[in-house]
Amino acid sequence: MDPAAAALPALVALWLLAPWPLLGSARGQFSAGGCTFDDGPGACDYHQDLYDDFEWVHVSAQEPHYLPPDMPQGSYMIVDSSDHDPGEKARLQLPTMKENDTHCIDFSYLLYSQKGLNPGTLNILVRVNKGPLANPIWNVTGFTGRDWLRAELAVSTFWPNEYQVIFEAEVSGGRSGYIAIDDIQVLSYPCDKSPHFLRLGDVEVNAGQNATFQCIATGRDAVHNKLWLQRRNGEDIPVAQTKNINHRRFAASFRLQEVTKTDQDLYRCVTQSELGSGVSNFAQLIVREPPRPIAPPQLLGVGPTYLLIQLNANSIIGDGPIILKEVEYRMTSGSWTETHAVNAPTYKLWHLDPDTEYEIRVLLTRPGEGGTGLPGPPLITRTKCAEPMRTPKTLKIAEIQARHIAVDWESLGYNITRCHTFNVTICYHYFRGHNESKADCLDMDPKAPQHVVNHLPPYTNVSLKMILTNPEGRKESEETIIQTDEDVPGPVPVNSLQGTSFENKIFLNWKEPLDPNGVITQYEVSYSSIRSFDPAVPVAGPPQTVSNLWNSTHHVFMHLHPGTTYQFFIKASTVKGFGPATAINVTTNISAPTLPDYEGVDASLNETATTITVLLRPAQAKGAPISAYQIVVEELHPHRTKREAGAMECYQVPVTYQNAMSGGAPYYFAAELPPGNLPEPAPFTVGDNRTYQGFWNPPLAPRKGYNIYFQAMSSVEKETKTQCVRIATKAAATEEPEVIPDPAKQTDRVVKIAGISAGILVFILLLLVVVLIVKKSKLAKKRKDALGNTRQEMTHMVNAMDRSYADQSTLHAEDPLSITFMDQHNFSPRLPNDPLVPTAVLVLLQEEKMFIMGTTIHFLPYPICRVGDRTGKCTSI
């Protein structure tokens, strides 16, 4: 049998025989809030927590219960851990109390399990002013036996605060056993076994500082109890230091490190032992935020060495009162900081560096350690620049080239510029010929020790100076004059090139380049032929070069081919070399063709009364191909000076025989032959009565003398050259020749007679109209017969005329244009009836040509031309 179960009846008997009157006499000293649970917790105004996990169970001595027999007898509150899960809690709330000053609460408790297991934990919580539950101020865990144990709660509260004691049973993991409480007493005097705390005062500190609570307690042997500072939200702070004041009083210090606004809360002192616990009143930790300006300082004025600001310290973040104002400033690029106390709304910072950025803040201080707040928002501003300290030193020329100059200068530090923002400018100017000048300024890179001034003209004096400028002023260096180096010259001006052409030479002159870029030392001209009018001239060949001194700007190029285009390249030179070449094309004049030498040679092959046959020999072209050969006939007059064949002027103006007769010219062109008709020597008959290229070659007058000239002509573009030579002379005849009427005069007679006969034949014409209308068909037949007769009759007349010319040149058969004058004009100078008075009249009737001879009408298919018309056109009579 279990010894505990055997001893249970004895314990119950002792409990029933206990001296209850004495207990009742003690209860007479209880204050309100105590309870023996005889009539249940409700009679004592105890309540179950509405938000816990389960309920405390009331055990009544007058009612049977389910507890094991070894549990204590009587009325009390109990929790059976076996009925609940681990961690679940049941809370029993005492009524709210407002005890002023220190008082004591004691109670009985037990934690029992038949197997000695841990039934759970009994926690005592004290809620102040209906605030949140803090951590327990006292607790007991584990098996304590089946006997009741006593504990005390020394509660220190002060009006008008109220508090509430809560008994909490928490089920452990063993889920076995019971937790019970009984005989809760609220005593109006201090506890005997638990120390009482004196009133705990509020603590006020500035944020970031350490806060210290000092708890003073009275009680014997309490210095070895467990001590901590409990925050209202449940956080526990361990004791930092304990100190005995005397044998009944001790002090405990609690320190909170570098508190912030989040640490501001209610705190109380708690001590605990096996016999009970002591708890102080809640004291407030007040954390003050050091003041800090909301706005940055305002800039009122600025200079090279000062800044005038307004503090703007009226609007702050944090707590007051403000007991000190300070201005803190520093260079934004530096590490040092300087602080000045200020007792006015504005402040002027002196002795600052020019063109330097500063950061300015305002500091505010409230009472207490650490009362200086963080600096306010910064005012970042910059002082003005000061005028540069001095003029830059003289420029140093590092390099001189033809078109640029490299310049060195001293390093310009802040002590010279007195401003971080500055410009270094190099200004230059120069004068050149043709009234050309230029002035410009170039911004330099201040960090570069050297700069190059580009785009300068060669061989020119350039004035340079350096200018240091900042927003507050400028300093200029002295001018330095440097001459740029020579360079190759520019091209010879195209418009200055002038070439004068001759047949075998060209005179070329030019001017100096517009940009000599130095001293001209020489000119070089290279030339070569590129094309020629004469196919016999070779144009492919190496160029030739001519050099002239610097003062010679012209040259005559000899031994050139006529009619040939030459390309010239002219370039000038300095000591640096030749510049670019300028090109010009010049064409030599063509030369007159060269005729064979007829001096002392008689070119006459045959001669009649009206003709002379000569031998024509081809000419040689010079510079241009032969364009045409011309036969010129000059009439000899006894009073006219005889032309010399060797020193004569050629006949440049072509004159036809007709124009010569009407204008009285001493010569006429008898023929013009294409060059292809005379590839080799060939005879030609002057006076053969044919037409060559529009020139009529009429029979020569027997009683007149003539000079025969042979001309060769070359013509290219707008240039024509002619060479001529006298090849024969025909003397006047001394015997009476057969009369051959002048065709021009005979034609005039025909015209006159035709005009006289026109009036006589008017009647005949009218009669012919009637006859033709009536007998149209018969007339058609007669017209055909008349055509055949007329052609036969005209053929006989022409043959009779042609027999008067004995010899004809072989050129006539080859030249399709060589026809007789009578064939060309379809006219015979001799008519059948009378050689001097023709009786033929041209009658136009119904678009038909008719030739009337006597009483016979002949129809002709062609018009009868007026004799003497030399234009080559046929004019009907």
Side-chain angles (χ1 to χ4, degrees):
M1 184 177 180
D2 188 358
L8 183 59
L11 292 174
V12 172
L14 290 175
W15 185 76
L16 293 175
L17 295 176
W20 291 108
L22 292 176
L23 183 60
S25 61
R27 285 174 181 170
Q29 301 177 11
F30 294 169
S31 299
C35 189
T36 60
F37 301 108
D38 292 339
D39 299 325
C44 304
D45 199 18
Y46 283 23
H47 302 280
Q48 300 283 350
D49 193 339
L50 298 178
Y51 302 103
D52 57 3
D53 302 317
F54 60 95
E55 306 294 337
W56 285 82
V57 178
H58 177 241
V59 177
S60 176
Q62 289 77 23
E63 298 177 359
H65 54 78
Y66 62 90
L67 299 175
D70 54 352
M71 287 296 292
Q73 300 297 317
S75 299
Y76 52 88
M77 302 297 291
I78 192 170
V79 169
D80 186 357
S81 297
S82 61
D83 294 339
H84 306 286
D85 295 329
E88 292 187 334
K89 299 176 182 180
R91 297 190 187 97
L92 183 64
Q93 299 177 349
L94 276 62
T96 300
M97 293 176 282
K98 287 187 177 182
E99 299 294 337
N100 192 14
D101 208 351
T102 302
H103 52 278
C104 183
I105 299 175
D106 68 349
F107 59 92
S108 299
Y109 69 94
L110 67 82
L111 286 81
Y112 174 73
S113 173
Q114 289 182 338
K115 297 181 180 181
L117 300 177
N118 179 14
T121 301
L122 176 63
N123 296 318
I124 307 300
L125 299 92
V126 177
R127 174 186 287 163
V128 177
N129 296 332
K130 298 179 182 181
L133 288 178
N135 288 340
I137 64 170
W138 184 86
N139 56 36
V140 59
T141 302
F143 179 82
T144 62
R146 57 186 179 182
D147 295 331
W148 295 100
L149 299 177
R150 298 293 292 180
E152 297 177 334
L153 299 177
V155 181
S156 298
T157 59
F158 302 92
W159 186 90
N161 297 310
E162 62 182 15
Y163 72 96
Q164 184 180 37
V165 178
I166 301 172
F167 287 87
E168 180 184 73
E170 182 178 0
V171 179
S172 66
R175 297 179 58 191
S176 176
Y178 302 93
I179 301 173
I181 58 173
D182 194 11
D183 294 333
I184 299 174
Q185 305 178 55
V186 179
L187 306 175
S188 59
Y189 50 85
C191 294
D192 182 49
K193 300 175 182 178
S194 296
H196 287 263
F197 287 99
L198 301 182
R199 185 184 183 98
L200 183 63
D202 295 338
V203 176
E204 179 179 324
V205 294
N206 292 312
Q209 303 302 310
N210 297 333
T212 301
F213 285 92
Q214 189 169 19
C215 301
I216 300 176
T218 60
R220 294 189 297 271
D221 301 327
V223 70
H224 300 294
N225 292 356
K226 180 181 178 182
L227 291 167
W228 72 90
L229 185 69
Q230 187 181 76
R231 189 173 178 176
R232 181 174 58 175
N233 68 356
E235 181 183 358
D236 294 335
I237 294 95
V239 66
Q241 182 181 4
T242 59
K243 179 182 179 181
N244 285 324
I245 299 175
N246 54 43
H247 67 286
R248 290 187 58 82
R249 181 173 292 185
F250 68 93
S253 298
F254 300 89
R255 182 172 298 173
L256 283 73
Q257 302 288 335
E258 298 179 356
V259 297
T260 62
K261 278 289 187 180
T262 59
D263 297 322
Q264 183 168 295
D265 205 347
L266 298 175
Y267 295 84
R268 64 187 176 186
C269 300
V270 179
T271 179
Q272 178 182 342
S273 68
E274 294 181 356
L275 300 179
S277 175
V279 58
S280 72
N281 63 296
F282 269 118
Q284 185 176 9
L285 173 61
I286 303 171
V287 179
R288 299 296 184 185
E289 188 70 30
R292 177 171 177 260
I294 295 177
Q298 182 179 353
L299 182 65
L300 300 180
V302 60
T305 58
Y306 73 88
L307 293 171
L308 179 62
I309 62 169
Q310 182 177 335
L311 271 60
N312 280 350
N314 294 331
S315 299
I316 64 172
I317 299 174
D319 302 309
I322 306 300
I323 61 173
L324 178 63
K325 299 177 182 178
E326 296 174 294
V327 173
E328 177 187 270
Y329 70 97
R330 69 179 185 89
M331 293 182 182
T332 56
S333 59
S335 59
W336 60 268
T337 301
E338 192 168 332
T339 304
H340 295 173
V342 180
N343 56 5
T346 61
Y347 189 72
K348 193 172 188 178
L349 298 173
W350 285 99
H351 308 298
L352 305 179
D353 292 335
D355 192 28
T356 302
E357 189 177 69
Y358 287 91
E359 180 182 282
I360 306 172
R361 300 173 183 263
V362 174
L363 298 175
L364 302 178
T365 303
R366 68 176 306 276
E369 184 178 359
T372 302
L374 295 174
L379 167 64
I380 299 178
T381 186
R382 180 180 291 273
T383 54
K384 287 185 177 181
C385 294
E387 188 177 2
M389 290 293 292
R390 60 176 174 82
T391 302
K393 292 183 178 179
T394 304
L395 296 175
K396 296 180 180 179
I397 307 303
E399 182 183 8
I400 300 176
Q401 294 293 333
R403 300 183 183 273
H404 71 265
I405 297 174
V407 182
D408 290 343
W409 61 75
E410 63 173 321
S411 177
L412 300 175
Y414 173 78
N415 58 336
I416 298 175
T417 62
R418 300 289 286 165
C419 189
H420 295 291
T421 303
F422 63 93
N423 292 327
V424 177
T425 305
I426 288 187
C427 292
Y428 67 91
H429 65 90
Y430 58 83
F431 296 94
R432 299 192 72 189
H434 312 290
N435 297 324
E436 178 186 356
S437 64
K438 183 178 180 181
D440 196 6
C441 292
L442 304 175
D443 290 334
M444 306 292 104
D445 182 3
K447 298 180 180 179
Q450 186 180 97
H451 188 80
V452 177
V453 181
N454 289 308
H455 310 297
L456 298 177
Y459 203 60
T460 303
N461 289 331
V462 181
S463 297
L464 297 171
K465 68 177 177 180
M466 177 179 173
I467 302 175
L468 172 62
T469 308
N470 67 24
E472 296 300 319
R474 58 185 283 166
K475 297 290 183 180
E476 297 183 3
S477 68
E478 297 180 357
E479 280 195 356
T480 302
I481 299 178
I482 303 100
Q483 185 183 56
T484 53
D485 199 1
E486 293 188 59
D487 199 358
V488 296
V492 172
V494 177
N495 55 4
S496 72
L497 290 174
Q498 294 181 354
T500 304
S501 299
F502 300 92
E503 292 182 358
N504 59 356
K505 64 183 178 179
I506 292 176
F507 176 75
L508 189 66
N509 63 332
W510 59 89
K511 291 183 180 180
E512 183 182 86
L514 296 178
D515 296 320
N517 298 334
V519 178
I520 301 297
T521 57
Q522 66 172 335
Y523 294 97
E524 183 179 276
V525 183
S526 61
Y527 65 98
S528 61
S529 59
I530 57 175
R531 61 180 176 271
S532 178
F533 296 120
D534 190 353
V537 175
V539 294
Q544 301 183 44
T545 302
V546 174
S547 295
N548 280 21
L549 295 177
W550 63 273
N551 57 351
S552 177
T553 57
H554 57 84
H555 190 80
V556 179
F557 299 88
M558 305 293 292
H559 309 297
L560 305 180
H561 295 286
T564 303
T565 301
Y566 289 86
Q567 188 173 51
F568 297 86
F569 291 95
I570 307 172
K571 55 185 177 180
S573 171
T574 64
V575 294
K576 295 296 183 178
F578 284 98
T582 303
I584 183 175
N585 294 342
V586 183
T587 303
T588 54
N589 296 337
I590 64 174
S591 295
T594 302
L595 290 170
D597 188 9
Y598 285 89
E599 187 70 26
V601 178
D602 188 6
S604 177
L605 300 178
N606 189 19
E607 183 175 341
T608 67
T610 58
T611 64
I612 183 172
T613 302
V614 295
L615 180 64
L616 303 182
R617 291 184 290 177
Q620 181 181 359
K622 291 183 63 178
I626 304 299
S627 301
Y629 292 104
Q630 297 165 339
I631 310 300
V632 183
V633 178
E634 181 185 38
E635 183 180 347
L636 294 177
H637 291 276
H639 302 291
R640 184 176 298 171
T641 305
K642 186 178 180 180
R643 294 165 57 97
E644 295 295 334
M648 60 175 294
E649 292 183 1
C650 296
Y651 300 94
Q652 304 294 336
V653 179
V655 178
T656 64
Y657 174 79
Q658 295 87 339
N659 293 336
M661 294 299 101
S662 61
Y667 69 95
Y668 63 91
F669 279 37
E672 183 174 284
L673 305 177
N677 286 12
L678 195 63
E680 57 187 13
F684 181 82
T685 301
V686 181
D688 63 0
N689 197 31
R690 296 194 179 197
T691 301
Y692 301 89
Q693 299 292 330
F695 295 98
W696 180 35
N697 184 17
L700 302 177
R703 290 185 175 276
K704 293 183 179 180
Y706 298 93
N707 283 332
I708 310 301
Y709 294 94
F710 180 44
Q711 289 191 162
M713 180 179 65
S714 293
S715 180
V716 175
E717 296 178 351
K718 296 182 180 181
E719 185 179 6
T720 300
K721 290 294 180 68
T722 304
Q723 180 68 13
C724 60
V725 63
R726 187 174 63 195
I727 59 176
T729 300
K730 183 179 182 301
T734 56
E735 297 181 359
E736 184 70 22
E738 183 183 356
V739 177
I740 298 176
D742 190 346
K745 294 180 179 180
Q746 190 167 344
T747 301
D748 291 338
R749 293 173 187 171
V750 173
V751 173
K752 292 177 181 179
I753 294 173
I756 297 171
S757 302
I760 302 173
L761 297 177
V762 171
F763 177 76
I764 300 173
L765 292 175
L766 295 175
L767 180 61
L768 288 175
V769 171
V770 176
V771 173
L772 289 173
I773 294 174
V774 176
K775 299 178 180 181
K776 184 177 181 180
S777 60
K778 293 180 180 182
L779 290 176
K781 183 177 181 181
K782 291 179 181 180
R783 181 174 55 187
K784 294 180 181 179
D785 295 338
L787 177 61
N789 295 333
T790 303
R791 288 183 176 176
Q792 183 177 4
E793 183 179 348
M794 292 300 291
T795 302
H796 290 304
M797 288 189 291
V798 171
N799 291 335
M801 188 68 181
D802 289 340
R803 281 194 296 268
S804 62
Y805 305 103
D807 298 324
Q808 299 294 332
S809 173
T810 57
L811 291 174
H812 303 164
E814 297 177 1
D815 189 356
L817 298 177
S818 299
I819 61 176
T820 66
F821 181 81
M822 299 304 174
D823 290 338
Q824 180 183 9
H825 298 282
N826 299 306
F827 179 78
S828 175
R830 296 181 181 272
L831 296 179
N833 297 333
D834 191 342
L836 300 177
V837 183
T839 59
V841 177
L842 179 64
V843 179
L844 178 61
L845 183 62
Q846 294 186 349
E847 300 180 355
E848 298 293 340
K849 311 287 186 306
M850 292 181 296
F851 186 82
I852 302 172
M853 183 177 296
T855 60
T856 305
I857 299 175
H858 300 275
F859 291 88
L860 304 178
Y862 44 84
I864 295 178
C865 296
R866 184 190 301 274
V867 178
D869 187 357
R870 309 305 184 204
T871 61
K873 297 182 181 180
C874 188
T875 302
S876 299
I877 301 175

